[in-house]
Amino acid sequence: MIHGWEGNPNNNWFPWLKQKLEKRGFSVEAPAMPDAMHPTLSGWLFYLQTTIKDVDENTFFVGHSLGVIAILKFLEALKPDEKIGGAVLVAGFPEPIAYDELNSFFSKPLDYEKIKNAANAFIAIHSSNDPYVPLKNGEILRDRLGAKLVVIENAGHLNANDGFTELPAAFDAFLHITSDAK
C-alpha cells in the first residue's frame, strides 16, 4: 500500500485496510515513502524498486493520491516478463494536477501500454467532488488502462480529512482483483 503526498502508512484508511486484509490471510506491506512532504519521482521510484525486489501475479498494489502515480511509474519500469496481479488506484492522477511540487512525477508521459501489460487488472476509485484530483483523472485511468472505475459521490479526497478512516470500496476492489487472479 502506497500512501500519498504528505501522508504516511498510519493515516487515512490504510491501517484499517491493512488489518482487514491481514485477517483474510494476505501479507501486507505499507512502507513510509521517503520525504513525503517533498516527494520526488526519483526518490519514490528508487525506494519502491529497492524495497520491492520480486513481483509476480500474486503481487497487488493499493495506492492513494500521489501513491497512484508512483505505482504506475513502478509498473512502467518493470521488465517485459514481469507482471503483477493488479492495482487499486484511489484518488489517483496519471497526469499533472495544479501542484508544481509534484512535477518531477510527470517529466515524461506515462506509457500506458507498458503499464497495462504489467498488470492483470486495475480498479480506480474516485470521488465525484475531489477538490485536488478531479474525476477526469479516474476517467483517464479507465480509458487508458481499462480500469474499472468506481465513483463515490461527494467523498472529497477519500482521506481522513473527509471522514475516511475506513474505505470499504478499496477492500471490495482488492478482493475483486485478487479473486480474478486465481
Side-chain angles (χ1 to χ4, degrees):
M1 293 193 301
I2 311 301
H3 64 77
W5 183 25
E6 300 181 349
N8 69 67
N10 299 313
N11 66 4
N12 298 321
W13 38 266
F14 282 115
W16 172 84
L17 183 59
K18 185 177 190 301
Q19 181 181 35
K20 294 273 289 180
L21 294 175
E22 287 174 342
K23 281 184 181 177
R24 289 283 186 118
F26 292 100
S27 173
V28 180
E29 298 295 326
M33 297 303 288
D35 204 4
M37 299 305 281
H38 306 283
T40 63
L41 174 60
S42 61
W44 279 33
L45 191 54
F46 177 79
Y47 183 78
L48 288 176
Q49 290 171 330
T50 56
T51 304
I52 305 166
K53 298 273 191 222
D54 298 308
V55 298
D56 61 26
E57 294 186 48
N58 291 312
T59 304
F60 297 89
F61 284 90
V62 176
H64 178 255
S65 194
L66 189 65
V68 169
I69 188 69
I71 290 168
L72 297 177
K73 290 289 189 176
F74 177 85
L75 295 177
E76 183 181 52
L78 290 177
K79 296 175 189 151
D81 62 337
E82 293 179 307
K83 189 170 197 161
I84 68 163
V88 177
L89 312 171
V90 180
F93 44 101
E95 297 182 354
I97 55 174
Y99 297 94
D100 290 342
E101 301 94 311
L102 307 179
N103 283 347
S104 73
F105 287 82
F106 303 97
S107 59
K108 287 181 9 188
L110 288 169
D111 183 334
Y112 289 101
E113 284 306 310
K114 278 181 104 172
I115 296 166
K116 274 175 38 176
N117 290 330
N120 289 331
F122 294 97
I123 297 178
I125 301 172
H126 276 261
S127 168
S128 63
N129 69 339
D130 190 321
Y132 311 109
V133 182
L135 179 57
K136 73 173 185 163
N137 290 279
E139 294 165 349
I140 292 168
L141 293 169
R142 177 195 64 207
D143 296 345
R144 303 253 175 96
L145 294 177
K148 176 182 176 188
L149 177 59
V150 176
V151 178
I152 301 174
E153 293 298 321
N154 303 314
H157 194 49
L158 293 163
N159 61 12
N161 290 342
D162 292 311
F164 287 90
T165 55
E166 298 180 2
L167 189 57
F171 179 67
D172 294 344
F174 188 90
L175 293 181
H176 182 77
I177 63 172
T178 57
S179 68
D180 282 354
K182 294 179 181 175

